Amino acid sequence: MFTIAEAARRAACPQSTIRYYERAGVLPPARRGDNGYRYFEADDIERLAFVNRARELGFSIASVRDLLRLADHPQQPCEAVDTLLDEQVRSVRQRIAKLQALETRLAHLQRACDGEHPVHECGILAALSDTDAA
Amino acid sequence: MFTIAEAARRAACPQSTIRYYERAGVLPPARRGDNGYRYFEADDIERLAFVNRARELGFSIASVRDLLRLADHPQQPCEAVDTLLDEQVRSVRQRIAKLQALETRLAHLQRACDGEHPVHECGILAALSDTDAA
DNA sequence: CGTGGACCTTAAAGTTGCTTTAAAGTCAAC
DNA sequence: GTTGACTTTAAAGCAACTTTAAGGTCCACG
Ligand SMILES: [Zn+2]
Ligand SMILES: [Zn+2]
Ligand SMILES: [Zn+2]
Ligand SMILES: [Zn+2]
C-alpha cells in the first residue's frame, strides 16, 4: 500500500505523470481509499515501471498501451511485439538520418562565419537570406 | 501584390502557416485590403522564405525571431548569430547522441526475440517487464 | 481541540508548432 | 443572382506532459 508520493519515488517519475498515465488509459484506474487518495501495490508499480521503460525507449503512449495489452495476453504469438519494435527502430533511424543531414548543413553554415564582423557581412545570415542558398 | 494563396505557393508552405507566423510574431502584421484580405509584396515573401529556411534548419520560432531582429540591424556584430548557430549545432548533436544510444538499446532488444513463440516467452517483453533489465 | 504543514484531489491551462475545422464574409464569372 | 473559389476569424486538436489554482485530508504537536 503506497501513496502516490511513494509510487512516484519508487518509479522515479513525477506524480503528475502517474496521474496523466491513468487519465491516458495506459495505467488502469488506481484503487482509492475512503478519502479519495490513490493507493498502489507492488504490481501497480511494476506496471508503471514497464510504462516508463517503454517510454524511455521512445514508444508512443499508444504503442505502450499495445505492448501492455500483449503482455497481458501471454499466449498470443509475439509477432505483434516484434512489429512494434521494428517500427520503433525504423523511426529512430529515420530521425537520426534527418538530424545528421541537419548537422551537416549547420556545420557547413558555421564555416560561413569567421568571427569578427558586423551582421551585414555575416555569411550565416547571408545564407539564410539568400533564396538561392544551398 | 500577392494574395495569401500566391504567397503560400511562392514560399511553398501552407497558408495556415503564414497566418500562424504572423500570429506568433515572427512575421509582421500583413498589409490588408479594404476587404480585410492580406496582401504581400516581394519583401514579405523573402522574409517568409527566411523563416522557412531557418525553421528547416531546426531553429525554434523564438530563435527565428532573434535571427530576424539581427538581420534587421546590420551594423551589430555577428556574435549573436554565431552563438545561436552554435547552440543549434550543439542541440542537434545532443539529440543525435541520444537517438543513437536509443538505437543501440533497441537493436539489442531486437536480438532478444528469435521469432516464433508466444508472448510469455518473448525476450523483448521480458526485458521491458524486468526491473533489472539493462 | 485546533492549527500548521505536508499530503492528496480535480479541472483547466500552458507548452511547441503548427493543422484543421467551423462559421462567415468577399469576389468574379456566367 | 447564384455558383464556386477565394478570404477572414476564433477555437479546437495533436503529443506527452507540466504547472497552476482551488480546495479537501491527515497527523502531530501543544
Ligand atoms: Zn560571421
Ligand atoms: Zn557571423
Ligand atoms: Zn521473440
Ligand atoms: Zn518476441
Side-chain angles (χ1 to χ4, degrees), chain B residues 46-108:
Chain B
E46 274 182 39
R47 206 173 177 85
L48 173 53
F50 183 107
V51 174
N52 285 153
R53 279 189 289 271
R55 291 287 305 129
E56 276 166 30
L57 289 170
F59 288 101
S60 70
I61 295 283
S63 297
V64 175
R65 254 194 309 257
D66 292 347
L67 286 170
L68 281 167
R69 205 155 2 91
L70 286 161
D72 287 341
H73 298 279
Q75 304 308 329
Q76 291 188 334
C78 82
E79 211 191 301
V81 178
D82 301 2
T83 304
L84 281 168
L85 183 52
D86 291 351
E87 275 170 14
Q88 179 62 10
V89 169
R90 258 191 313 119
S91 147
V92 167
R93 289 198 176 134
Q94 238 177 58
R95 273 180 282 167
I96 289 174
K98 280 200 180 176
L99 284 173
Q100 279 171 341
L102 202 52
E103 186 194 0
T104 300
R105 292 183 57 196
L106 289 169
H108 197 87

Side-chain angles (χ1 to χ4, degrees), chain A residues 47 84 105 117 128:
Chain A
R47 205 173 178 85
L84 281 168
R105 292 183 58 197
H117 53 225
L128 279 169

Side-chain angles (χ1 to χ4, degrees), chain B residues 3 30-39:
Chain B
T3 66
R31 274 177 290 281
R32 300 296 185 119
D34 290 346
N35 45 18
Y37 286 19
R38 288 176 183 82
Y39 288 106

Side-chain angles (χ1 to χ4, degrees), chain A residues 38-120:
Chain A
R38 288 176 182 80
Y39 288 106
F40 300 87
E41 306 291 338
D43 296 16
D44 302 323
I45 302 205
E46 275 183 38
R47 205 173 178 85
L48 174 54
F50 182 107
V51 174
N52 285 153
R53 279 189 289 270
R55 292 286 308 129
E56 275 168 30
L57 289 170
F59 287 101
S60 70
I61 295 283
S63 296
V64 175
R65 253 194 310 256
D66 292 348
L67 286 170
L68 281 167
R69 204 152 8 87
L70 286 161
D72 287 340
H73 297 280
Q75 304 308 331
Q76 291 186 335
C78 82
E79 210 192 301
V81 179
D82 302 2
T83 304
L84 281 168
L85 182 52
D86 291 351
E87 275 169 14
Q88 180 60 11
V89 168
R90 260 191 312 120
S91 146
V92 167
R93 290 198 175 134
Q94 238 178 56
R95 274 181 280 167
I96 290 173
K98 280 200 182 176
L99 284 174
Q100 279 172 340
L102 202 52
E103 186 195 0
T104 301
R105 292 183 58 197
L106 288 169
H108 196 89
L109 211 50
Q110 272 182 324
R111 289 195 287 278
C113 174
D114 55 359
E116 318 263 317
H117 53 225
V119 159
H120 71 272

Side-chain angles (χ1 to χ4, degrees), chain B residues 1-2 10 31 40-48:
Chain B
M1 277 277 203
F2 310 117
R10 288 181 186 237
R31 274 177 290 281
F40 300 87
E41 307 290 339
D43 297 15
D44 302 322
I45 301 207
E46 274 182 39
R47 206 173 177 85
L48 173 53

